[in-house]
Amino acid sequence: MDWPRAKTILIVALALLNIFLYHQVYGGVGLPAPEESYLTAFPVEALVEELAVYGVQPKIQDGVPPRLPPVRLIPRVPALDLDAVFAGRRYETRQGTLGYCTGTLYSTDEDVLCLSEDGRLVYAVVQRAGVERARRADLDAARQQVEALFEAVGGPPADLHGPEITFDDQGGTFVFRYEQVIEDAAAGPLWIFPGAVEIHATGRRVVSYQQRLWDVETVDAAPAPVMPVTNLLHRQLEDRDRLVDLLEQFGSDRGHRVLQLRLGYALGPAPEAGAPGSGAQPPAYEGRPAWQALLQGAPPLLFDARTGAFIESVWP
């Protein structure tokens, strides 16, 4: 038998077979190339056992998540009624900074409001020392104060979820926290992570108000796949990354805390100067698909839903 010739024929046959299989998998009709984000989801049961060591119970959906539509996030500029904000009192106007807001300042001797071009709205009482501390029995009165200020800044937005209400013992105020969420026909509720409103109030007045909300514009492109959240958790636990640091600091062995994983959009890059959407109009930012890890009593963590990379928070 001619072994060299047989070996040559076998090599050629295997090469042709590889070409045929490649065409069937990657070039065949209706058979798109595999996508990294659509790898089989890591089993949730194993994660439950690992997280239980930290006294944490995950609240997650197993399996492959829905594809997300590409979106742009445009700063929402509120429609202010300054006479209502300041209750008819005279106010001065100038340019300046208040907290995280740099823009136009409207101020009286008692309070000041800042409105920036990128949609930040900050209101604060000037002399906090003179504000009477709230009592826990003042919650209903504090709600009324919050509702009145909402009306003065354009009314309560329909896309806010909340409030989550806590009591700030140090500041002596009720804290009303709202988060922005949109509804997608295919994906369900999607959180706009840089969109939120936080209000501190007593039964007599609002002490501070911070708002940054976004108009969400759908991009004319096909929805894109994202990483299963169980894969993200597995990677974080295996690499002992930022989530593990959070669990070690805020976990508890005396009772289970709930860990929520929510899907939505973080703030992507802004357009470059001179690009469409930049200039006089508010810039349109890319909506970056993201998973948020939310553990009771701990600051939230954001991760890119396509790569798993950590995302720095931009709120407020």
Side-chain angles (χ1 to χ4, degrees), residues 35 73-74 77 89 104 107 111 133 141 148 162 181 215 220 223 229 262 314:
E35 296 168 312
L73 303 179
I74 303 170
V77 180
R89 291 174 283 122
T104 304
S107 61
D111 43 10
R133 293 175 60 88
V181 62
D215 291 325
D220 187 16
V229 70
R262 306 193 299 192
V314 297

Side-chain angles (χ1 to χ4, degrees), residues 173-221:
T173 61
F174 290 97
V175 181
F176 296 76
R177 172 80 179 188
Y178 301 81
E179 294 175 288
Q180 189 175 4
V181 62
I182 61 172
E183 192 73 27
D184 180 76
L190 297 172
W191 301 84
I192 308 301
F193 296 121
V197 175
E198 185 171 296
I199 310 169
H200 293 240
T202 69
R204 292 182 176 273
R205 70 177 306 163
V206 169
V207 175
S208 68
Y209 181 106
Q210 294 186 77
Q211 170 180 308
R212 198 180 191 195
L213 299 174
W214 306 85
D215 291 325
V216 182
E217 182 182 275
T218 303
V219 177
D220 187 16

Side-chain angles (χ1 to χ4, degrees), residues 47-48 50-58 247 250-252 255-259 295:
L47 295 172
V48 171
E50 287 191 68
L51 291 170
V53 174
Y54 300 97
V56 169
Q57 178 180 356
L247 295 174
F250 293 96
S252 172
H256 284 294
R257 292 189 176 186
V258 175
L259 175 66
L295 179 66

